[in-house]
Amino acid sequence: MAIARCRTSWILLFFVVCTIASATFVITGVHAGVNAVTGQRPFRQEFSTFQNTGPAFDLYIQALQQLAQTNQSAMLSYYAVAGIHGYPNVPWDGVLGDNTGAIGYCTHTSILFPTWHRPYVALYEQLLHTNARSIAATYNSTNGAAYRAAAETFRIPYWDWSLNPTMPALVNVPNITITTPAGVQNVPNPLYNYTFNPLPTSPDFPEGDDVSQFLSSVRYPTSLAPNATSQPAKVNKQLQANADSLHDLTYQLLASEPDYTNFTSSAFSQGNSLENLHNMIHGIVGNGGQMAYLANVDRLTTIWQALYPTSFTTPEADAYGTFTNPSGSIEDANTRTSAPLSAPLTKRPYQSTLLTHLPLALTPFHASPNGTLYTSATVRSPRPFGYAYPEVQDWNTTAAQLSATVRAVVNSLYDPAGATRKRSVATRNPDGRATSALAAEYQWAVNIAADVSNLPTPLFLHFYLAAPPPSPQAWPSAPNLIASLPLLSPPAPPINPPPNPPPPDSPLQPPTRGQLPLTHALLRLPASALPDLSPPAVLPLLESMLQWRAQRSDGEVVVVGEGAVRVTVVGRGVRVGGLGMGKGEGVGGGFPEYGAWEQWGDVQGSEGG
């Protein structure tokens, strides 16, 4: 399925590509509108704000229309540039790959996951700006100045799925009204879909691949037939069913995880991570289809970096690799060709040998005309690319001041229940329990470790308090749904395929990890069923009520073999305004203080217990 292999060829990223002929395309970002003295840069705006910007939004839509008409054979066509992330699985900008079976250049299950997306999104932004300037120049004297000014400061929008947990309404309408150089017009909406011209075939897509059957991109398709249509209402219904989980995971990742390695990827974190959040959106919105909004991945990275500025990449193995990076490669901030390692490494369970050289850098993104590629070190900050986010205004301030400011902004955005305030009657129910999962003194979650090489991915793991509805079609948005974790297909074969099934007591090799919160679902129960959130009260209830089911995106029920998925109940204490229970640069400056996760036991089988 398209979602499983991150075929962002069809992801409507709110960006545009123009056709520029160049042997090596240098990604510089956009520097128009940047204050050379202070370093102040134009903002990327949240889509709900951006859609009301008038000239900027009009230019954006028209630039995307140009994209839809770009010849797919061009290196900088939408087809080719979006395919950097996945299919079409062909070399881009002369950067060849030799990792047999790998799909795309994107660094999933890798320490490079956050930083790889920064130059990728900057590439779209750079090309978008070129198109916007060209279009703005065609407006007449009446409104030409406003459109030319908008083009200078134009930056791509992002969708904050935690703050606005349904797709922006404008992406789901086939036509849209904008002001063009010829006046107000109702035009085809390029955010709605992308029409293939011609249809993708082998070797761009494997023979019989799902996406290759469609005439255009679709979201949550009605079928796998060529004339399938999108089902945005079903997407939004599943997003709303997972809204509490997305909100809590976002806040807790930013507030409680000071270590970059754990923050980055589902390969290293024992639970929540940036990739965990990405996969949830990619799986739900791109369910059998093709949409994700990667600009918000970069935004969350930027916010996290402002909160914890001293933590960054450490050398780690990439279990699956990419189109260019071999499986098992060791990657770090300065990943480059054939560079000897400068620090000792810890051998991961899924590595048969410990490699001694680093693979290519952030492929296929060129930093100079001579072929130099970007590395995580050279893209650590967004400043060189000429954009900023409203939450991280990193000019005329110190690192400590910025961190404190961003903590306050994060609390304002994602903590409406007041988890960072000392609790009072206003934050408690009459029965004495917290009104919000973030305000609870003990938080509960399930950690999931899955051997995706032994599962029919893509699929969802749905978690419930009590049995789900009898009809599997109702599972994704059932009233008692806690949350859903999508498991995407691996981008390449693992370096050491594990036995099938793996021994029950052996580590999964290599595991895909995720975390889903339970606290918000527990707080829905009446006080008579759950008087408080202490382990003595919660554990017996979870033992009798917690269940999960596996299901493909087309509704087919999946029976998971023994050992392929491990579900562990975990919990931790939280202090608000208390003494140091947590750790890290973000503690003590407005965030709750988190204790270490305690493991309370595995959930045996999909029916719980």
Side-chain angles (χ1 to χ4, degrees), residues 361-564:
L362 300 181
T363 57
F365 307 123
H366 286 111
S368 70
N370 64 9
T372 301
L373 293 160
Y374 280 106
T375 67
S376 292
T378 56
V379 303
R380 183 168 183 172
S381 169
R383 295 185 193 93
F385 294 114
Y387 67 89
Y389 295 102
E391 299 86 354
V392 186
Q393 301 182 32
D394 57 6
W395 46 89
N396 296 330
T397 188
T398 66
Q401 291 170 338
L402 180 64
S403 182
T405 300
V406 173
R407 284 196 295 274
V409 172
V410 168
N411 283 331
S412 175
L413 283 174
Y414 301 122
D415 183 28
T420 58
R421 298 192 301 269
K422 187 168 183 177
R423 277 192 286 278
S424 64
V425 174
T427 63
R428 311 291 287 183
N429 281 316
D431 58 29
R433 297 183 305 164
T435 58
S436 162
L438 298 180
E441 294 168 346
Y442 199 89
Q443 293 179 350
W444 293 90
V446 285
N447 284 349
I448 300 101
D451 173 18
V452 294
S453 64
N454 279 319
L455 291 170
T457 51
L459 57 81
F460 288 95
L461 301 181
H462 302 301
F463 287 79
Y464 306 91
L465 280 181
S471 171
Q473 297 302 319
W475 288 1
S477 55
N480 64 332
L481 179 78
I482 300 171
S484 300
L485 181 73
L487 296 179
L488 310 182
S489 295
I495 51 176
N496 291 319
N500 185 12
D505 297 326
S506 70
L508 294 172
Q509 307 178 33
T512 292
R513 300 183 185 277
Q515 184 179 86
L516 295 175
L518 300 178
T519 313
H520 66 279
L522 294 171
L523 287 174
R524 295 173 189 157
L525 299 173
S528 57
L530 185 66
D532 57 61
L533 293 177
S534 66
V538 170
L539 289 173
L541 183 142
L542 291 179
E543 186 171 358
S544 64
M545 295 185 67
L546 182 61
Q547 299 189 26
W548 61 273
R549 298 289 189 274
Q551 182 181 38
R552 290 180 61 87
S553 55
D554 60 3
E556 177 187 353
V557 177
V558 176
V559 178
V560 176
E562 182 180 357

Side-chain angles (χ1 to χ4, degrees), residues 10-44:
W10 328 123
I11 294 174
L12 300 180
L13 296 165
F14 305 129
F15 318 126
V16 67
V17 180
C18 63
T19 304
I20 301 176
S22 174
T24 296
F25 187 83
V26 179
I27 300 171
T28 62
V30 179
H31 297 280
V34 175
N35 188 315
V37 177
T38 65
Q40 182 174 352
R41 307 178 300 284
F43 293 138
R44 291 177 178 173

Side-chain angles (χ1 to χ4, degrees), residues 39-282:
Q40 182 174 352
R41 307 178 300 284
F43 293 138
R44 291 177 178 173
Q45 301 178 69
E46 211 280 328
F47 192 86
S48 61
T49 299
F50 179 75
Q51 66 184 6
N52 298 316
T53 55
F57 188 76
D58 293 341
L59 292 173
Y60 172 55
I61 293 297
Q62 292 173 90
L64 288 173
Q65 288 177 320
Q66 288 187 3
L67 165 62
Q69 299 165 3
T70 303
N71 192 311
Q72 288 181 178
S73 64
M75 187 187 82
L76 291 176
S77 68
Y78 181 80
Y79 182 80
V81 174
I84 292 170
H85 200 279
Y87 288 154
N89 199 27
V90 296
W92 191 85
D93 202 14
V95 180
L96 303 179
D98 59 2
N99 188 12
T100 303
I103 301 171
Y105 296 92
C106 183
T107 53
H108 286 278
T109 63
S110 164
I111 196 74
L112 307 180
F113 178 78
T115 52
W116 185 90
H117 286 87
R118 181 158 286 164
Y120 184 43
V121 174
L123 165 62
Y124 280 98
E125 187 160 68
Q126 180 178 338
L127 298 171
L128 173 59
H129 181 257
T130 300
N131 278 7
R133 271 183 162 175
S134 175
I135 296 167
T138 65
Y139 281 78
N140 61 32
S141 57
T142 302
N143 52 13
Y147 280 85
R148 287 190 291 274
E152 289 301 292
T153 59
F154 191 93
R155 299 298 187 272
I156 59 174
Y158 64 89
W159 169 38
D160 184 352
W161 58 70
S162 299
L163 194 62
N164 299 306
T166 56
M167 290 187 296
L170 287 181
V171 309
N172 292 319
V173 293
N175 294 286
I176 190 168
T177 300
I178 59 170
T179 300
T180 73
V184 177
Q185 294 184 338
N186 189 255
V187 300
N189 184 3
L191 295 169
Y192 182 69
N193 65 5
Y194 172 79
T195 301
F196 301 113
N197 184 25
L199 290 176
T201 58
S202 180
D204 288 10
F205 285 72
E207 201 69 42
D209 184 87
D210 298 333
V211 169
S212 67
Q213 312 300 312
F214 299 134
L215 302 177
S216 64
S217 62
V218 287
R219 306 181 188 105
Y220 214 123
T222 52
S223 70
L224 296 181
N227 61 348
T229 58
S230 296
Q231 301 180 92
K234 285 192 174 182
V235 175
N236 282 333
K237 191 174 182 179
Q238 194 168 355
L239 283 169
Q240 288 173 323
N242 284 272
D244 287 341
S245 294
L246 287 166
H247 174 270
D248 292 357
L249 287 170
T250 298
Y251 182 80
Q252 291 174 16
L253 181 64
L254 296 174
S256 70
E257 185 48 76
D259 180 77
Y260 182 86
T261 301
N262 291 334
F263 165 78
T264 58
S265 171
S266 58
F268 311 120
S269 171
Q270 294 300 306
N272 194 19
S273 68
L274 180 66
E275 191 173 12
N276 182 55
L277 285 166
H278 162 276
N279 289 353
M280 290 183 69
I281 294 299
H282 198 14

